[in-house]
């Protein structure tokens, strides 16, 4: 009989436009869309991952960063095994907001454990140096002052470090950070949740 895969839930949060959907899409499909739309609510994609001889079903939950979608995204924080806090290096405000994002996640996921794995992702590292508003040193300092979080610089545009940041997430959950344990991935079904429809339904249900 086939052994059931353990589910690993990873949640992406951060300001609207920092590149959360682009990172997920790059990791799962290998594609990048320069004209992607803002996410409404949440979407999730699956990937089967094998680590050593164990199979995992990696569930990546991509949330909407815009404030108006707060009530749609926060119910999906519960049960997360790892949280990716994403900011964009060309947007200083998105970096300063990491603190608020972390608070929001901890509150709605009900996590009190100080060892819960957060990974800080500095995305859009492909931009020209003169457009950069947050330095690596500044971001690393924030990570070490706020719980010693792992820090990864990525570019969804040129795929730099994208696989690596999700691998770090997986390793932080299963704590198999040792050298030599290889990870292989296999994309599987890609469901998504239509929150626009859910919001409409809720409205009509609550109407008298
Ligand atoms: P919300 O869904 O509103 O929360 O935004 P998001 O964080 O999902 O951002 P999204 O992935 O939609 O990307 C926003 C814009 O930034 C799009 O135009 C992307 O093409 C662009 N973008 C995303 N990642 C990168 C990157 O690594 N480099 C550059 N230069 N642009 C990027
Ligand atoms: Mg998005």
């Amino acid at each position: 009989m086939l052994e059931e895969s353990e589910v690993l839930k990873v949640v992406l949060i951060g300001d609207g436009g920092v590149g959360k959907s682009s990172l997920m899409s790059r990791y799962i499909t290998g594609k990048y869309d320069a004209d992607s739309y803002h996410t409404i609510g949440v979407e999730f994609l699956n990937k089967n991952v094998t680590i050593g001889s164990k199979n995992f079903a990696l569930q990546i939950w991509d949330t909407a960063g815009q404030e108006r979608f707060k009530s749609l995204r926060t119910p999906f924080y519960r049960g997360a095994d790892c949280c990716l806090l994403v900011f964009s290096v060309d947007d200083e405000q998105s970096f300063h907001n990491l603190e608020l994002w972390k608070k929001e996640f901890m509150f709605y996921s009900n996590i009190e454990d100080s060892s819960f794995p957060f990974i800080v992702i500095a995305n859009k590292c492909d931009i020209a140096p003169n457009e950069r508003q947050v330095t690596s040193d500044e971001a690393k300092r924030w990570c070490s002052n706020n719980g010693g979080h792992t820090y990864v610089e990525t570019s969804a545009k040129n795929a730099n470090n994208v696989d690596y940041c999700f691998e770090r997430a997986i390793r932080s959950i299963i704590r198999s950070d040792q050298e030599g344990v290889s990870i292989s991935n296999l994309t599987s079904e890609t469901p998504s949740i239509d929150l626009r429809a859910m919001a409409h339904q809720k409205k009509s249900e609550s109407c008298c």
Side-chain angles (χ1 to χ4, degrees), residues 18 23 85-89 120-125 132 134 139 151-155:
V18 295
L23 286 165
L85 288 167
V86 187
F87 74 96
S88 170
V89 293
V120 174
I121 311 287
N123 190 40
K124 306 197 187 181
C125 283
R132 192 163 171 144
V134 185
Y151 173 69
V152 184
E153 300 203 335
T154 58
S155 165

Side-chain angles (χ1 to χ4, degrees), residues 14-23 32-40 62-66 123-127 154-158:
D15 279 10
V18 295
K20 300 177 297 297
S21 302
S22 304
L23 286 165
Y32 172 74
D33 178 5
D35 303 310
S36 68
Y37 292 103
H38 282 294
T39 305
I40 295 170
D62 169 32
T63 63
Q66 290 184 303
N123 190 40
K124 306 197 187 181
C125 283
D126 54 88
I127 57 155
T154 58
S155 165
K157 185 176 181 180
N158 67 20

Side-chain angles (χ1 to χ4, degrees), residues 11-186:
V11 179
L12 285 156
I13 61 173
D15 279 10
V18 295
K20 300 177 297 297
S21 302
S22 304
L23 286 165
M24 178 171 78
S25 168
R26 172 62 85 184
Y27 180 58
I28 302 274
T29 67
K31 292 187 182 132
Y32 172 74
D33 178 5
D35 303 310
S36 68
Y37 292 103
H38 282 294
T39 305
I40 295 170
V42 295
E43 288 178 350
F44 80 92
L45 295 176
N46 283 331
K47 193 156 182 152
N48 294 327
V49 180
T50 305
I51 299 167
S53 59
K54 249 187 135 206
N55 297 324
F56 296 90
L58 179 65
Q59 240 179 38
I60 303 172
W61 291 75
D62 169 32
T63 63
Q66 290 184 303
E67 181 57 24
R68 63 197 168 116
F69 297 126
K70 183 174 175 179
S71 62
L72 292 178
R73 65 174 177 258
T74 48
F76 294 92
Y77 294 174
R78 272 180 182 266
D81 297 298
C82 177
C83 176
L84 302 188
L85 288 167
V86 187
F87 74 96
S88 170
V89 293
D90 67 351
D91 177 359
E92 199 177 7
Q93 192 57 48
S94 71
F95 170 64
H96 293 309
N97 287 344
L98 288 184
E99 194 176 343
L100 300 176
W101 282 106
K102 188 177 169 184
K103 273 193 188 140
E104 179 180 293
F105 179 83
M106 294 196 72
F107 181 81
Y108 287 98
S109 62
N110 223 1
I111 285 165
E112 281 164 13
D113 179 3
S114 60
S115 65
F116 180 86
F118 284 96
I119 295 184
V120 174
I121 311 287
N123 190 40
K124 306 197 187 181
C125 283
D126 54 88
I127 57 155
N130 63 340
E131 286 174 37
R132 192 163 171 144
Q133 296 182 1
V134 185
T135 65
S136 302
D137 284 350
E138 211 179 334
K140 283 179 192 163
R141 208 172 315 124
W142 188 88
C143 292
S144 64
N145 292 342
N146 286 275
H149 306 319
T150 300
Y151 173 69
V152 184
E153 300 203 335
T154 58
S155 165
K157 185 176 181 180
N158 67 20
N160 196 30
N161 271 348
V162 175
D163 286 0
Y164 176 72
C165 80
F166 286 102
E167 287 188 8
R168 287 304 301 253
I170 298 165
R171 290 181 190 284
S172 72
I173 300 168
I174 63 169
R175 301 190 196 289
S176 71
D177 231 338
Q178 326 91 297
E179 295 281 321
V181 179
S182 68
I183 298 183
S184 58
N185 303 316
L186 179 68

